[in-house]
Amino acid sequence: MNVFSKLIYDIGRLWGKYWLSYLNGVKNTLILAVVATVIGVVIGLVCGILNTIPCAKKDPLPKRIVLKVVRFIVRAYVEIFRGTPMVLQAVFIYYGLPYFTNNALRFDSVWAAAILVVSVNTGAYMAESVRGGIISIDPGQTEGAMAIGMNHFQTMVNVILPQAFRNIIPQIGNNFIINIKDTSVMFIISFTEFFAFHQYITGVNNLYFPSAAIEMVGYLTMTLIASFLLRRVEKWMDGSDNYELVSEDQLVMAAGTYSHPDRGTPFDERSREYDKDRQDARWAQARNESTRGDR
Amino acid sequence: MDEVILEIRHLSKSFGTHEVLRDIDFTVSKGDVTAIIGASGSGKSTLLRCVNLLETPTSGEILFHGKDVTGRGVNAPEYRSHVGMVFQSFNLFNNMSVLENCIVGQVKVLKKGKDEAKENALRFLQYVGMAPYINAKPRQLSGGQKQRVAIARALAMGPEVLLFDEPTSALDPEMVGEVLNVMQQLAGEGMTMLVVTHEMAFARDVSNHVVYMNQGVICEQGSPVEVLENPRKQETKDFLSRFRNN
């Protein structure tokens, strides 16, 4: 038997015996990655808002001091959690807390500990992404919101963050995919995700490589589906390129109906309607030619 | 004399050591249409942004109904909700439809009900001729349409003064008319307006007060006839003749 057919045979054997364990691992990995990414994004958004509160010289001193302190805390949080390995953070939180507090503080659930560590980590990365997203929004948007009397919080929630959020979805996707893979380090606190089951299963037999192959395919499948879904979310958030007119516009002049070629009206060269029309025309032409040929 | 709404007193503004505005003094009464004209870099836009507190004046006072709004402890967002502003670059909220753009301020800032806000927004969108486009996103509109929506958004807040910061400068020439028409109509209905503009015809025909600015100071102000037809100062004459030659 050559190597590959043996490998496939072993994979089949492993899967037949342990498929429930593998799927259980996939389930745990996905739950942890999804929950931690969502919480992490929320942490990132909060940090982003805190980091961009405007601070003018004429503001009262207490407000300025509070802002300085808040910014320092956010900065320290980002630097510490971005700058240390997640494995060690898990060890410090799960084993370190009871150790240093004489068992007064400890996590009874390994789930809670794992979610905390991964979300706090994601939050640290997202804080910077959110800051970048907020900076990338045209200052005119803020001015427009301020000009109708919105305060900083209202401006952020209603105008800036929805737009910044759209811009950082690729980053969120990045973090989500990284989380799917990197949650594997949670085995250190005996969290049983996908990779942990691999270790258990190979512990009782020596089919190490076939199991690793199953893991590879499993992780790749998860991340591919994740990327696909994230693309769909982006499309959905961008909304339709078309809109319906409600009735007649009296004031508009000929120029008022102008639309940029990229914006997708039925008349522009890149719209589906236009392509379809041209396609139809070409087919009609082709049909004519073929019938002429028959004659 | 009508009720005084805005009084600018000895207003100055510096960016670092560069003094952009120096000792600006003028008054806006109810129903006034004040045109601020002048060359690029003369401080017109900065003055308007100071009036809306988007820039913090270095010194001087801005009295809104007799109350200074430049001091500490003034609720700037509250003040701004009484003073509408229309920008050169429109600044419509890109994440909202035309209708939502005109509703959001009423609901979040003025705490109006959704239905009332919608009805109000529709009325002003109708007024500027953009009612058919309520479902469109700003990116799908032309410049002139965006600016008319921006005007409707400002009007929906029920402002006492409307500030226009070169509202037609970013528009293609053929779209300037539709925006100026709306502004002229507003002026005719007694809206108090403060307009930074390069449209001399608009300043002459629509405004009742013209302020000519030169290098950060008010060089000359008065009625359109006084300033535009019979300017007293040489700078004003030079500026206007440069305009006619173009």
Side-chain angles (χ1 to χ4, degrees):
Chain A
M1 219 171 1
N2 76 30
V3 187
F4 284 106
S5 44
K6 175 154 173 37
L7 180 64
I8 289 170
Y9 171 74
D10 285 341
I11 289 175
R13 239 174 27 155
L14 269 180
W15 184 255
K17 197 164 176 191
Y18 296 110
W19 63 275
L20 205 62
S21 302
Y22 281 121
L23 285 186
N24 202 14
V26 167
K27 188 191 81 188
N28 287 353
T29 291
L30 283 180
I31 293 177
L32 177 58
V34 169
V35 172
T37 308
V38 169
I39 299 177
V41 169
V42 173
I43 295 175
L45 287 175
V46 171
C47 289
I49 297 183
L50 290 177
N51 259 335
T52 50
I53 296 174
C55 184
K57 276 210 178 102
K58 69 164 200 169
D59 284 335
L61 192 64
K63 185 185 166 191
R64 268 154 56 201
I65 291 175
V66 169
L67 275 179
K68 275 260 159 66
V69 173
V70 165
R71 267 178 214 180
F72 176 78
I73 293 172
V74 171
R75 184 99 203 131
Y77 158 67
V78 169
E79 293 299 344
I80 289 172
F81 281 90
R82 227 174 31 166
T84 53
M86 198 157 76
V87 173
L88 291 179
Q89 291 164 18
V91 168
F92 266 76
I93 286 180
Y94 193 67
Y95 300 117
L97 271 186
Y99 178 78
F100 287 115
T101 61
N102 220 354
N103 271 336
L105 276 176
R106 65 199 170 95
F107 281 95
D108 290 326
S109 150
V110 68
W111 270 98
I115 288 176
L116 178 79
V117 171
V118 182
S119 348
V120 160
N121 238 283
T122 315
Y125 280 97
M126 282 314 297
E128 288 296 285
S129 300
V130 170
R131 203 167 65 87
I134 291 174
I135 293 172
S136 74
I137 303 299
D138 171 22
Q141 296 285 308
T142 310
E143 290 185 353
M146 280 162 66
I148 58 171
M150 287 193 190
N151 57 33
H152 178 69
F153 183 75
Q154 288 167 333
T155 306
M156 276 291 156
V157 170
N158 295 301
V159 179
I160 305 300
L161 285 181
Q163 295 180 49
F165 190 76
R166 164 65 190 85
N167 287 352
I168 60 169
I169 282 186
Q171 285 291 328
I172 295 175
N174 251 348
N175 271 301
F176 180 51
I177 283 170
I178 289 173
N179 279 346
I180 288 178
K181 296 182 299 173
D182 283 8
T183 45
S184 56
V185 303
M186 286 298 135
F187 76 86
I188 200 99
I189 56 172
S190 62
F191 180 84
T192 49
E193 39 65 59
F194 194 34
F195 190 69
F197 277 107
H198 162 72
Q199 290 183 316
Y200 294 146
I201 289 162
T202 52
V204 294
N205 54 47
N206 56 357
L207 297 171
Y208 196 90
F209 197 60
S211 178
I214 293 179
E215 293 285 313
M216 274 287 195
V217 173
Y219 274 118
L220 191 60
T221 312
M222 283 194 271
T223 52
L224 283 179
I225 293 174
S227 327
F228 172 74
L229 290 178
L230 283 159
R231 285 285 154 91
R232 293 294 291 267
V233 170
E234 274 182 52
K235 275 242 167 84
W236 171 75
M237 281 194 77
D238 284 343
S240 164
D241 270 348
N242 301 313
Y243 61 95
E244 307 245 318
L245 286 190
V246 178
S247 65
E248 280 295 301
D249 184 0
Q250 296 83 18
L251 241 178
V252 76
M253 303 174 184
T257 52
Y258 166 85
S259 174
H260 192 273
D262 282 346
R263 297 306 185 224
T265 67
F267 314 108
D268 82 48
E269 299 182 353
R270 269 166 252 185
S271 80
R272 261 181 244 136
E273 286 90 334
Y274 187 87
D275 282 345
K276 192 167 164 296
D277 283 350
R278 285 201 357 196
Q279 195 77 47
D280 288 345
R282 245 179 277 136
W283 282 343
Q285 204 184 346
R287 261 199 308 277
N288 284 343
E289 273 164 16
S290 64
T291 44
R292 238 179 283 140
D294 286 346
R295 250 184 267 152
Chain B
M1 187 81 184
D2 283 324
E3 179 195 357
V4 173
I5 293 184
L6 270 175
E7 278 177 89
I8 318 293
R9 293 276 167 267
H10 308 295
L11 186 81
S12 296
K13 170 73 185 173
S14 310
F15 291 115
T17 53
H18 177 54
E19 203 170 35
V20 190
L21 294 176
R22 198 161 62 243
D23 204 20
I24 302 289
D25 241 26
F26 68 93
T27 305
V28 177
S29 302
K30 196 171 172 56
D32 270 358
V33 178
T34 306
I36 303 173
I37 59 172
S40 297
S42 58
K44 309 181 300 287
S45 290
T46 308
L47 170 59
L48 209 63
R49 293 167 58 84
C50 279
V51 171
N52 206 8
L53 300 182
L54 285 175
E55 303 285 354
T56 316
T58 314
S59 66
E61 292 178 328
I62 298 166
L63 304 177
F64 181 65
H65 288 299
K67 267 194 213 133
D68 186 18
V69 293
T70 56
R72 283 185 179 195
V74 171
N75 187 346
E78 208 273 335
Y79 161 69
R80 288 198 197 101
S81 71
H82 297 290
V83 181
M85 177 126 177
V86 175
F87 298 87
Q88 181 177 1
S89 51
F90 326 123
N91 295 349
L92 292 179
F93 306 137
N94 293 326
N95 56 322
M96 300 179 198
S97 70
V98 164
L99 185 62
E100 286 164 341
N101 259 285
C102 298
I103 286 180
V104 65
Q106 300 182 68
V107 173
K108 303 289 174 186
V109 179
L110 303 179
K111 311 289 179 201
K112 282 191 191 173
K114 270 250 164 70
D115 294 334
E116 188 194 352
K118 186 178 175 186
E119 198 181 319
N120 200 28
L122 279 174
R123 210 172 65 235
F124 287 109
L125 283 169
Q126 186 89 49
Y127 183 83
V128 299
M130 286 302 291
Y133 294 87
I134 52 174
N135 297 322
K137 286 279 175 75
R139 66 186 150 101
Q140 294 157 330
L141 300 178
S142 72
Q145 291 175 322
K146 281 188 215 176
Q147 197 59 295
R148 284 189 276 143
V149 173
I151 293 174
R153 178 177 75 181
L155 286 174
M157 299 295 290
E160 295 179 50
V161 192
L162 210 44
L163 313 177
F164 291 84
D165 186 6
E166 304 194 23
T168 57
S169 301
L171 300 179
D172 289 337
E174 69 265 34
M175 295 178 202
V176 171
E178 63 190 64
V179 172
L180 289 182
N181 281 346
V182 171
M183 290 169 64
Q184 185 161 15
Q185 201 179 341
L186 271 175
E189 290 167 15
M191 175 56 98
T192 313
M193 310 198 320
L194 198 53
V195 188
V196 169
T197 186
H198 289 293
E199 300 288 334
M200 290 305 144
F202 179 83
R204 190 183 60 229
D205 300 339
V206 181
S207 71
N208 62 352
H209 191 80
V210 175
V211 174
Y212 170 63
M213 287 187 65
N214 189 24
Q215 298 185 339
V217 293
I218 293 182
C219 187
E220 195 164 345
Q221 61 175 318
S223 73
V225 179
E226 282 167 7
V227 178
L228 298 175
E229 313 277 329
N230 311 300
R232 278 166 290 146
K233 298 237 173 115
Q234 191 54 43
E235 291 95 330
T236 322
K237 283 177 194 162
D238 292 346
F239 172 74
L240 289 171
S241 70
R242 241 178 300 143
F243 240 91
R244 291 209 184 90
N245 292 342
N246 286 345

